[in-house]
Amino acid sequence: MQVAVLGLGKMGEPIARRLLDAGHTLCVWNRTAKKTAGLAEAGAEVLTAAGDACRSADVLVTMVLDDAALLEVTDELFSAGAKGRVLIDMSTVSPAASRRVAEAANAAGAGYLRAPVSGNPSVVEAGNLGIMVSGDEQVFARTETLLRDIGPNVFYVGGGEEARVLKLALNLMIAATAQAIAEALVLGEAHGLDRAKMLEVMGASAVGSPFVKYKTAALVAEDYSATFTGRAMWKDLSLALAAAHEAGAPLPVTAQVQQLLEGCIGSGWGDDDLMMLLPRLRREAGL
């Protein structure tokens, strides 16, 4: 299949590599052109403008930072003539912005799938990415194999913005879990417990989860290199709170964790991993 990937950040580049490895004909575009070099060496065609993707590909995959970036890129795509093409957006954006893209795609005669993901770059590379999809079910059926080439865990969840909401729901759970881990460790360490032992017990307990186990080694090593930054999570919680406000759904814990992440950002830790919630709380505890 002829595929274009637009946006080669932390997630876009490994997604593009998986498509290449699966045998798809690939073209790529990124606002910062130097990020295309490795994919060009691997056999991808490099586009000089996002709109050129409509002449080179049948399926257009976008993975961009936020609402504004998505609207800018899709405006260019639809202006270039995307009739008959399928747009698959894998970014984490608001349902409101996604609805605007859906309207523009319909007017342009293009199919549109919302396909936000659950995972980080190493999960993509390992072939374990989770993909939540909503949109026209016939369009999904035409592109399901391609999506499974990116990640095997593909879930079709509805015909509209359901995938957007589900992605935000998962992320607010991750944020709340990160804060709960931080509070549990601070309580234990304040009473002399060993962090590694606590995490071992947590991982084997009823509250254990893949997230706890995934974060254990980094937390024991005090390694806060970002797999998902505090700033990015703050943005996603803002989207979740806006969606909740639209629906009249209270999210009190989410609002509190967002404020705690804002404190991390204000302390200069916004580009570190969201588990910077732990050292921030340790500082407040005098540890």
Side-chain angles (χ1 to χ4, degrees):
M1 191 173 289
Q2 294 180 311
V3 187
V5 175
L6 302 104
L8 301 174
K10 288 184 177 180
M11 296 294 285
E13 182 174 2
I15 285 171
R17 288 191 180 278
R18 285 198 62 82
L19 289 168
L20 265 181
D21 291 345
H24 297 281
T25 302
L26 185 70
C27 58
V28 296
W29 173 86
N30 192 69
R31 192 185 312 276
T32 306
K34 66 181 181 180
K35 290 187 176 180
T36 64
L39 287 163
E41 290 177 4
E45 175 191 357
V46 176
L47 305 175
T48 57
D52 293 343
C54 294
R55 293 191 292 273
S56 302
D58 303 312
V59 178
L60 317 171
V61 177
T62 48
M63 175 58 95
V64 296
L65 180 63
D66 54 23
D67 287 12
L70 178 62
L71 293 171
E72 181 180 344
V73 170
T74 54
D75 281 349
E76 186 171 345
L77 290 173
F78 297 144
S79 296
K83 185 175 182 180
R85 306 292 190 270
V86 173
L87 170 65
I88 301 176
D89 178 61
M90 308 189 83
S91 318
T92 300
V93 298
S94 70
S98 186
R99 282 192 289 270
R100 288 176 59 183
V101 175
E103 292 169 1
N106 185 59
Y112 175 48
L113 294 177
R114 303 81 163 158
V117 303
S118 178
N120 59 41
S122 63
V123 173
V124 182
E125 292 163 4
N128 294 322
L129 192 68
I131 306 172
M132 297 149 273
V133 187
S134 59
D136 186 287
E137 193 164 9
Q138 291 183 347
V139 175
F140 169 67
R142 285 162 47 199
T143 56
E144 182 178 1
T145 299
L146 181 146
L147 288 166
R148 292 192 183 278
D149 286 338
I150 297 171
N153 305 307
V154 178
F155 306 94
Y156 179 77
V157 297
E161 301 304 326
E162 293 89 347
R164 302 296 192 191
V165 177
L166 181 53
K167 165 64 176 181
L168 297 177
L170 290 181
N171 275 16
L172 72 83
M173 290 182 68
I174 290 171
T177 301
Q179 177 62 20
I181 291 170
E183 293 187 17
L185 291 176
V186 166
L187 172 63
E189 290 174 357
H191 285 272
L193 280 163
D194 175 72
R195 181 181 299 186
K197 183 57 66 177
M198 286 189 70
L199 286 163
E200 180 186 358
V201 174
M202 286 180 194
S205 74
V207 296
S209 68
F211 183 76
V212 172
K213 294 173 182 175
Y214 172 72
K215 289 295 184 184
T216 292
L219 288 173
V220 171
E222 294 277 5
D223 179 5
Y224 299 103
S225 303
T227 58
F228 190 62
T229 68
R231 194 183 307 277
M233 181 59 84
W234 182 91
K235 182 266 291 185
D236 288 358
L237 296 187
S238 297
L239 298 179
L241 289 166
H245 179 74
E246 181 182 347
L251 302 180
V253 174
T254 300
Q256 183 63 37
V257 177
Q258 189 205 32
Q259 289 298 307
L260 295 169
L261 285 168
E262 191 163 321
C264 291
I265 294 168
S267 297
W269 298 335
D271 294 322
D272 295 308
D273 195 79
L274 82 154
M275 285 308 311
M276 285 304 295
L277 287 163
L278 173 57
R280 182 181 185 277
L281 192 60
R282 292 185 85 252
R283 184 179 67 181
E284 291 182 358
L287 295 175

